[in-house]
Amino acid sequence: MARRERVVRMSVEQPLWRALTAYRVLTMVYADLLFLANRGHFERPWAGAAFLAVMSVWTLATLPKVSGAVRCTKPFLAVDLAIALTGILLTPFADNHAQVQDGPTLPGIWTAGAVLAYAIKGGWRWAGFASSLVAVANIVERGEPSRDTLHNVLLVWVASIAIGYVVEVARASERTLARALEIEAATRERERLARDIHDSVLQVLAMVQRRGTALGGEAAELGRMAGEQEVALRTLVAGGLNRPSHVSDDASQGAVVRLVDEPDVPDGPGEQDLRTLLAPYAGSRVTFAEPGAPVLLPRAAAAELAAAVGAALDNVRRHAGPGARAWILVEDWPDEVVVTVRDDGPGIPEGRLAQAESEGRLGVALSIRGRLRDLGGTAELLSVPGQGTEVELKVPRGKAER
């Protein structure tokens, strides 16, 4: 059954671009209204009106340019900043009293939008460059800058650099998160393949090794080769972190092949009755207890849960002895599905699971716990020496559906 992992990314800076678009429009309207309210004080109102007309047309025509980092090109930023600087330097020409009265420039706070575009596009260094040019233009426009002018210049300079730095940190965090999601998806796919290998190839190799050793002769050599390949494959499945230097006693004893084939579950959307997948596991030594109503789960989740139950039964057949009995209990709750697999075998000695995992035998870690973890559920194992083993598998419905 194939499974596809898809990582959906959303740029963390996209809200900043949307905010910048709104800021440019609002500040354009504010600059136009401010000029209309004070046009009677201008010595050359035609100059101010001509500039604001150009600025307004430019702002509305270039709204798509500030919709994202790709469209916001360097030539656009250069022209945009040049218009802002031109408006600042043109202010004394349109209004001779602007320098004396320390009033607003023609573009006003629209200029900050040009600086912010640099900050969002290129980070704090670009923001520092653009805000420095704006600072120089404001000082030249004032002639003898006042304390308020220096305060405003410094405020724009610090704010733009801070925003640019925040954007750089956000981009770095986004790259780190995207990489982590890719690694997680790759790891989950690796674990899925490892489970499939454990449930089929490794068990067959172990059986060939055991039967070959028992038969002797040329079959013994075939069994030895199968054992070597089993060890190599277990090392590959474990990721090379734990490299067993010898074939353990458990591995030399081999593993039985699953007596009941796993049901073939079709791919695609839809729901599957879990009972139909677990019913084939019932037999003379396996008792199956089920609810009276269908236990519906998404097809993929139902198949994975059934495979985990099959892995638990494999462990019963391998370790509980030929006369051991097992019981499967399915409980269908509104918020979760619980499947319990219990046996009357000798139980698991303390520390045995950790030892098996360190030797590369990952049946419980991958075939059971790994599957439930992928479904957003849990697998709890309770074993008391001499009193059997109980495996409780829980799958929350909401997570299984996702």
Side-chain angles (χ1 to χ4, degrees):
M1 180 176 57
R3 175 183 298 171
R4 294 183 178 90
E5 297 278 358
R6 184 177 63 179
V7 178
V8 180
R9 302 181 190 174
M10 176 178 291
S11 175
V12 296
E13 63 187 71
Q14 194 59 39
L16 296 177
W17 288 110
R18 289 197 292 265
L20 178 61
T21 302
Y23 178 87
R24 288 170 63 88
V25 174
L26 292 176
T27 53
M28 175 203 73
V29 173
Y30 176 77
D32 292 340
L33 294 177
L34 188 63
F35 171 76
L36 292 176
N38 299 297
R39 65 183 183 278
H41 302 289
F42 281 71
E43 283 75 14
R44 300 178 182 86
W46 59 268
F51 169 78
L52 290 174
V54 172
M55 186 191 77
S56 299
V57 172
W58 168 261
T59 301
L60 297 176
T62 58
L63 286 180
K65 290 290 186 179
V66 290
S67 61
V70 177
R71 294 186 175 184
C72 187
T73 60
K74 291 181 180 180
F76 163 75
L77 291 175
V79 175
D80 196 54
L81 183 60
I83 291 176
L85 298 178
T86 301
I88 294 174
L89 298 176
L90 189 63
T91 301
F93 177 78
D95 183 8
N96 293 332
H97 300 286
Q99 293 180 335
V100 179
Q101 297 175 352
D102 199 17
T105 60
L106 285 174
I109 56 177
W110 184 89
T111 305
V115 177
L116 292 177
Y118 271 82
I120 300 175
K121 173 68 176 181
W124 69 270
R125 294 176 180 83
W126 287 30
F129 167 76
S131 58
S132 297
L133 292 181
V134 171
V136 171
N138 275 283
I139 293 175
V140 171
E141 184 265 335
R142 296 301 178 189
E144 296 181 359
S146 64
R147 183 176 62 180
D148 291 339
T149 301
L150 296 177
H151 172 77
N152 294 334
V153 165
L154 182 62
L155 182 62
V156 172
W157 191 75
V158 173
S160 61
I161 291 179
I163 293 176
Y165 178 76
V166 170
V167 170
E168 288 187 359
V169 173
R171 284 175 179 159
S173 301
E174 183 181 19
R175 290 192 296 268
T176 302
L177 177 60
R179 179 58 180 164
L181 292 176
E182 292 174 356
I183 293 175
E184 180 184 8
T187 301
R188 288 184 180 275
E189 181 65 14
R190 179 189 180 93
E191 289 184 356
R192 186 188 68 82
L193 294 175
R195 289 195 297 265
D196 293 342
I197 292 173
H198 174 271
D199 292 346
S200 56
V201 181
L202 289 178
Q203 293 187 9
V204 172
L205 289 175
M207 185 188 68
V208 171
Q209 181 196 17
R210 178 174 60 84
R211 296 288 179 84
T213 303
L215 292 175
E218 295 182 358
E221 176 64 16
L222 180 61
R224 184 190 65 80
M225 296 173 61
E228 292 178 353
Q229 295 303 312
E230 181 195 5
V231 173
L233 189 54
R234 287 187 185 276
T235 302
L236 178 63
V237 169
L241 298 179
N242 301 304
R243 298 182 180 272
S245 58
H246 63 282
V247 179
S248 64
D249 294 337
D250 288 344
S252 64
Q253 294 300 320
V256 298
V257 179
R258 181 167 300 165
L259 300 181
V260 179
D261 293 336
E262 292 185 8
D264 186 13
V265 181
D267 291 331
E271 292 185 327
Q272 175 76 30
D273 186 359
L274 181 64
R275 302 178 307 168
T276 62
L277 301 181
L278 299 181
Y281 291 127
S284 60
R285 296 190 177 276
V286 179
T287 302
F288 178 46
E290 58 182 312
V295 182
L296 298 179
L297 284 174
R299 293 186 184 277
E304 288 291 87
L305 183 54
V309 172
L313 292 176
D314 281 341
N315 288 333
V316 174
R317 298 186 184 101
R318 294 179 60 187
H319 304 296
R325 293 183 57 85
W327 291 265
I328 303 174
L329 173 63
V330 179
E331 299 174 89
D332 187 11
W333 299 101
D335 56 343
E336 65 181 359
V337 174
V338 181
V339 180
T340 304
V341 180
R342 183 173 60 87
D343 66 72
D344 59 357
I348 303 176
E350 185 177 356
R352 184 60 178 168
L353 290 179
Q355 178 185 358
E357 187 171 347
S358 66
E359 294 174 353
R361 300 194 306 278
L362 305 176
V364 175
L366 290 180
S367 292
I368 300 179
R369 288 175 178 162
R371 280 189 165 99
L372 270 294
R373 183 178 63 249
D374 287 350
L375 297 177
T378 59
E380 297 183 5
L381 189 147
L382 177 63
S383 180
V384 178
Q387 299 183 19
T389 302
E390 180 176 301
V391 180
E392 187 179 65
L393 311 174
K394 294 183 179 180
V395 178
R397 287 193 175 278
K399 294 183 179 179
E401 292 172 359
R402 289 194 297 270

